[in-house]
C-alpha cells in the first residue's frame, strides 16, 4: 500500500518533485547504517571518534557487584530469627534463602547455595541448643571466613527506639581506631566493609546516605550500633552543605556484640589463620554455673548435718512446766 501511494503522489506531483524526493531517500539511506540482528553493521565515523574520545578521557573503573546471601540454621530461636530479619532489612544488596541443616557438611551446602544465587559473600546464623547464636561471615568460594559468638542481642522490635531511616539507603561505615592495631582486626575490618557496605548504584538501594553503622572494639569484642543522621528540615533551620553542627545521631537498632572465635583461610573451613586465646565457650560457662549451684547445695546439706550433731551433743534440759496444761 505504501509503494502504491508513493507512486501515485509522484505521478500527481510531476517529474521534478519526484526526482527531489528520490534524492532525499538516497541521502537518508546513505547516512543511516544497515541494521542487523546483532546491532548496527557500520557506525558513522563521527560516532566512533566520539566514543573513542570519551573512553580515552574516562576509563572504566571498578564496579562493586557485591551480593550477600543471608540464611540461618534449623531450630533457630525466635529472637535470633528476628535479628536476622533486621539485618536483612538493613542490607538492600542481600538475598535471603531457606534454612540450612547445621551439620558438618554445611560448608559445602552453603558454598553451593551462594554459587546458585550468584552471590559473593554469606552470613550464616547458626543456633545451638536453642541458646547460643554463632555467626559465620564468609567470602565465597575461596575465603576467608570468620566464626563469631553473638552476645547482647537486642532487636528493633524489642528496643522501640525513636530513630528511623529510609529502607534501602546506603550506610556510612565507621570503625574505631583499634581496628588498625593488629592484623586480624584489619582483616575483619575489610570483611565488614565488603559485606555491610551497600554497592553504589545497586538497583534496590537509594542513592544517598542517611544512617551510620558503627563498629567499635571493646574488651576484644565488636559492638554494632545503627544510628540515623537527623537533620532539621525547617526552612529557617535548614542545614547548609558541609556544616555538621546541627546534625544529630539517633539510634535505630538492632544491637549485638560479636566475639571472634576463629578466622579460617577458606570458606567455612580451611587452615586456621587466627584463634582467640580469651574465648570461653558457653558450655563451659554453664558447667561452671552448675558446679557453683551444686556447691551451694552441698553447703546446705553440711549445715543440716552439723545442726543435728550439735543438737545431739547438746540436749536441752527438761522443762518443768512442759506438762502443766496437758491434764
Amino acid at each position: 500500500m505504501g509503494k502504491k501511494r508513493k507512486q501515485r503522489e509522484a505521478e500527481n506531483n510531476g517529474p521534478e518533485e519526484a526526482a527531489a524526493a528520490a534524492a532525499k531517500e538516497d541521502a537518508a539511506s546513505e547516512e543511516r547504517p544497515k541494521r542487523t540482528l546483532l546491532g548496527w553493521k557500520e557506525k558513522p565515523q563521527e560516532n566512533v571518534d566520539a566514543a573513542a574520545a570519551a573512553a580515552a578521557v574516562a576509563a572504566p573503573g571498578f564496579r562493586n557487584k557485591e551480593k550477600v546471601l543471608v540464611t540461618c540454621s534449623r531450630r533457630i530461636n525466635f529472637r535470633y530469627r528476628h535479628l536476622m530479619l533486621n539485618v536483612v532489612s538493613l542490607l538492600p544488596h542481600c538475598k535471603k534463602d531457606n534454612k540450612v541443616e547445621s551439620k558438618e557438611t554445611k560448608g559445602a551446602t552453603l558454598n553451593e547455595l551462594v554459587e546458585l544465587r550468584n552471590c559473593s559473600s554469606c552470613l550464616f546464623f547458626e543456633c545451638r541448643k536453642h541458646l547460643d547464636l554463632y555467626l559465620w561471615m564468609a567470602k565465597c568460594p575461596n575465603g576467608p571466613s570468620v566464626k563469631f559468638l553473638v552476645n547482647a542481642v537486642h532487636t528493633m522490635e524489642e528496643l522501640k527506639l525513636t530513630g528511623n531511616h529510609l529502607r534501602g539507603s546506603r550506610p556510612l561505615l565507621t570503625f574505631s581506631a583499634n581496628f588498625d592495631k593488629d592484623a586480624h582486626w584489619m582483616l575483619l575490618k575489610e570483611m565488614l566493609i565488603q559485606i555491610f557496605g551497600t554497592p553504589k548504584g545497586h538497583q534496590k538501594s537509594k542513592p544517598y546516605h542517611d544512617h551510620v553503622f558503627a563498629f567499635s572494639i571493646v574488651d576484644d569484642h565488636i559492638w554494632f550500633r545503627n544510628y540515623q543522621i537527623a537533620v532539621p528540615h525547617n526552612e529557617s533551620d535548614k542545614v547548609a552543605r558541609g556544616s555538621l553542627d546541627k546534625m544529630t545521631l539517633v539510634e535505630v537498632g538492632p544491637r549485638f556484640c560479636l566475639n571472634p572465635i576463629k578466622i579460617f583461610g577458606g570458606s567455612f573451613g580451611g587452615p586456621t589463620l587466627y584463634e582467640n586465646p580469651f574465648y570461653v565457650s558457653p558450655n563451659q560457662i554453664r558447667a561452671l554455673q552448675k558446679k557453683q549451684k551444686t556447691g551451694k547445695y552441698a553447703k546446705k546439706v553440711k549445715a543440716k548435718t552439723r545442726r543435728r550433731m550439735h543438737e545431739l551433743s547438746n540436749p536441752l534440759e527438761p522443762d518443768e512446766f512442759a506438762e502443766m496444761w496437758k491434764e
Side-chain angles (χ1 to χ4, degrees):
M1 293 297 291
K3 291 182 179 179
K4 290 181 180 179
R5 254 184 219 164
K6 288 182 181 178
Q7 289 176 3
R8 288 175 187 173
E9 289 176 359
E11 290 174 0
N12 297 332
N13 294 334
E16 295 180 358
E17 295 180 359
K24 287 182 181 179
E25 289 181 0
D26 294 339
S29 62
E30 288 178 359
E31 291 177 0
R32 187 175 182 181
K34 188 178 179 181
R35 188 172 184 179
T36 61
L37 293 174
L38 301 176
W40 300 101
K41 190 173 182 181
E42 296 177 358
K43 294 183 179 179
Q45 189 67 24
E46 297 177 358
N47 297 339
V48 174
D49 296 341
V57 172
F62 169 73
R63 184 180 176 186
N64 189 3
K65 296 183 179 180
E66 184 74 24
K67 294 179 183 178
V68 184
L69 179 70
V70 181
T71 182
C72 64
S73 63
R74 294 189 182 276
R75 296 172 294 276
I76 191 171
N77 193 1
F78 74 96
R79 193 176 184 186
Y80 300 150
R81 180 169 52 84
H82 290 175
L83 175 65
M84 183 193 71
L85 295 177
N86 292 156
V87 173
V88 169
S89 65
L90 293 177
L91 304 179
H93 60 289
C94 75
K95 295 181 180 180
K96 193 174 68 170
D97 209 317
N98 296 330
K99 296 179 181 179
V100 178
E101 191 67 37
S102 180
K103 295 182 179 178
E104 295 180 356
T105 59
K106 65 176 180 291
T109 306
L110 289 169
N111 285 328
E112 187 176 357
L113 279 175
V114 169
E115 185 178 359
L116 288 174
R117 297 300 299 272
N118 195 19
C119 296
S120 57
S121 304
C122 182
L123 289 176
F124 178 58
F125 292 84
E126 183 180 5
C127 185
R128 298 277 184 88
K129 298 182 178 180
H130 297 277
L131 297 173
D132 309 323
L133 180 65
Y134 297 92
L135 175 62
W136 285 86
M137 191 181 297
K139 297 291 292 181
C140 301
N142 299 322
S145 58
V146 192
K147 185 179 181 181
F148 296 100
L149 175 67
V150 185
N151 295 321
V153 175
H154 300 282
T155 61
M156 290 183 183
E157 295 81 5
E158 179 186 355
L159 292 172
K160 296 181 180 179
L161 297 170
T162 57
N164 185 20
H165 60 79
L166 291 177
R167 186 187 182 95
S169 58
R170 300 178 64 206
L172 296 173
L173 304 182
T174 61
F175 296 89
S176 61
N178 303 340
F179 277 96
D180 297 329
K181 289 186 177 180
D182 298 325
H184 63 281
W185 293 123
M186 294 172 68
L187 176 60
L188 292 177
K189 178 181 177 181
E190 184 63 30
M191 291 187 68
L192 291 171
I193 289 173
Q194 294 185 18
I195 291 176
F196 284 89
T198 303
K200 184 179 180 181
H202 192 270
Q203 56 185 356
K204 292 184 180 180
S205 66
K206 307 289 191 306
Y208 43 81
H209 305 272
D210 66 343
H211 62 288
V212 182
F213 288 167
F215 298 93
S216 55
I217 299 175
V218 180
D219 297 332
D220 293 328
H221 291 62
I222 300 176
W223 296 80
F224 174 82
R225 294 291 183 271
N226 180 22
Y227 298 99
Q228 175 201 359
I229 303 175
V231 183
H233 293 288
N234 298 330
E235 292 296 330
S236 59
D237 298 337
K238 197 169 182 180
V239 178
R241 274 191 184 178
S243 63
L244 303 177
D245 300 335
K246 296 185 179 181
M247 292 186 181
T248 56
L249 296 179
V250 184
E251 189 172 356
V252 182
R255 298 176 179 175
F256 56 89
C257 173
L258 301 176
N259 184 12
I261 302 172
K262 281 186 180 182
I263 301 178
F264 301 97
S267 178
F268 297 100
T272 303
L273 302 180
Y274 170 78
E275 185 173 0
N276 189 1
F278 305 106
Y279 171 71
V280 180
S281 67
N283 293 329
Q284 294 180 357
I285 295 174
R286 284 192 288 268
L288 291 173
Q289 291 176 354
K290 285 184 179 179
K291 285 184 179 179
Q292 291 177 358
K293 290 181 181 179
T294 55
K296 289 182 181 178
Y297 179 74
K299 287 180 181 178
K300 289 181 181 179
V301 172
K302 288 181 180 178
K304 285 182 180 180
T305 54
R306 283 199 303 269
R307 181 64 182 173
R308 289 174 185 173
M309 296 296 294
H310 178 73
E311 289 177 354
L312 292 174
S313 60
N314 301 311
L316 294 175
E317 297 180 357
D319 191 4
E320 299 177 358
F321 308 99
E323 299 178 356
M324 182 190 316
W325 304 103
K326 285 184 179 181
E327 296 179 354

